[in-house]
Amino acid sequence: MLESIDLPNEWHKFLKNELSKEYIINLKTFLFQESQKHHIYPSTENIFSAFFFTKPKNIKIVILGQDPYHGPEQAHGLSFSVPRGLKIPPSLKNIYKELENNNINFSSPDHGHLEAWAKQGVFLLNSVLTVRSKQAASHKNKGWEKFTDTIISILDQKYSHIVFLLWGSYAQKKGKIINKKKHLVLSSVHPSPLSAHRGFFGNNHFKQANEYLEANNKKAINWNKINEE
């Protein structure tokens, strides 16, 4: 399934020391074996979609998800996002609700496709980049976590003034490697319907993120742009 890790040139340079490590080779072997027996999401060409929308140096915000959606056609390589024409997932509906409450000129769209955010420098990264059909977290602890930890660590070390949005305990654990003196780290419960009312609603993360970007001479994210494309 994953004979090579097909990344844009800028990301290959960024991760050149990582891509030849033994755990990556083992991960490729695991994914090949999985693909012989099971449907894997997202499709091979979409596993690294998030990396094609923004160069490392242009990342403004990282929204960290857990693993891809495990239903047919849902996952396409961007955390929390689904292709147009599919039902908006409950967690994303709650993200839209919180955006509407942030006083940043946002209205919820009729789709869940977040490509317009990614194009502006919002890195929609899942901790685990693949999943077995209908089995959430089925590719946990196979190597992806180490890969995405490395990405976060290098972003943390190499750049300044990135906003990290960490929702839920899983994402917050990965946030321990981020230097809070160099970056803005905003944490809350997950936007899932099971937890959103315990602190996701009202966290004002999107407004805070834009204010931080502007205070550090970066262009704010136009969250409403997903209504324009």
Side-chain angles (χ1 to χ4, degrees):
M1 179 183 182
L2 194 66
E3 292 78 14
S4 63
I5 293 184
D6 184 20
L7 295 173
N9 188 48
E10 296 85 356
W11 279 102
H12 262 293
K13 293 178 180 177
F14 187 82
L15 293 165
K16 62 182 179 181
N17 295 325
E18 202 70 14
L19 297 178
S20 59
K21 289 186 176 179
E22 184 177 2
Y23 84 90
I24 291 288
I25 296 170
N26 293 338
L27 175 61
K28 291 178 184 178
T29 300
F30 164 75
L31 289 173
F32 174 77
Q33 293 172 345
E34 275 281 278
S35 67
Q36 303 305 298
K37 303 175 183 177
H38 307 283
H39 289 296
I40 306 299
Y41 300 128
S43 58
T44 302
E45 64 270 20
N46 285 327
I47 291 174
F48 300 104
S49 291
F51 298 81
F52 284 84
F53 289 107
T54 183
K55 299 175 182 179
K57 66 181 180 180
N58 294 334
I59 290 174
K60 298 177 181 179
I61 296 176
V62 177
I63 298 181
L64 187 63
Q66 189 162 341
D67 64 342
Y69 298 118
H70 54 271
E73 300 181 352
Q74 287 181 302
H76 67 124
L78 304 178
S79 63
F80 293 101
S81 180
V82 292
R84 287 178 181 270
L86 294 188
K87 185 178 180 180
I88 301 172
S91 291
L92 183 54
K93 283 186 177 181
N94 286 338
I95 290 171
Y96 287 168
K97 287 179 183 178
E98 176 57 21
L99 275 158
E100 288 183 334
N101 292 330
N102 272 217
N103 298 314
I104 51 175
N105 189 34
F106 179 85
S107 57
S108 294
D110 59 2
H111 65 86
H113 193 235
L114 306 182
E115 183 177 311
W117 292 356
K119 288 178 178 177
Q120 296 178 73
V122 180
F123 192 35
L124 297 165
L125 179 68
N126 279 315
S127 175
V128 176
L129 300 188
T130 57
V131 70
R132 185 187 297 177
S133 174
K134 299 180 181 179
Q135 295 187 41
S138 50
H139 288 183
K140 183 180 180 181
N141 298 326
K142 301 299 182 181
W144 283 127
E145 293 93 340
K146 188 172 183 178
F147 181 67
T148 52
D149 275 352
T150 298
I151 292 169
I152 292 171
S153 182
I154 300 175
L155 287 173
D156 168 66
Q157 294 168 23
K158 195 168 183 178
Y159 304 109
S160 299
H161 308 309
I162 296 174
V163 181
F164 291 86
L165 301 184
L166 307 180
W167 302 326
S169 58
Y170 188 87
Q172 289 164 27
K173 288 177 183 176
K174 292 180 80 74
K176 292 178 181 178
I177 60 178
I178 301 168
N179 184 343
K180 296 178 177 61
K181 294 181 180 179
K182 291 179 61 181
H183 308 282
L184 178 63
V185 178
L186 298 175
S187 302
S188 80
V189 299
H190 195 273
S192 162
L194 298 174
S195 57
H197 291 279
R198 302 201 306 267
F200 181 79
F201 292 135
N203 65 26
N204 285 312
H205 281 183
F206 302 101
K207 184 177 181 181
Q208 290 183 66
N210 273 352
E211 289 173 349
Y212 178 83
L213 292 175
E214 291 179 327
N216 288 283
N217 301 310
K218 294 186 178 184
K219 187 177 181 181
I221 302 300
N222 177 2
W223 301 102
N224 204 51
K225 200 167 183 64
I226 54 175
N227 279 299
E228 301 173 10
E229 294 189 355

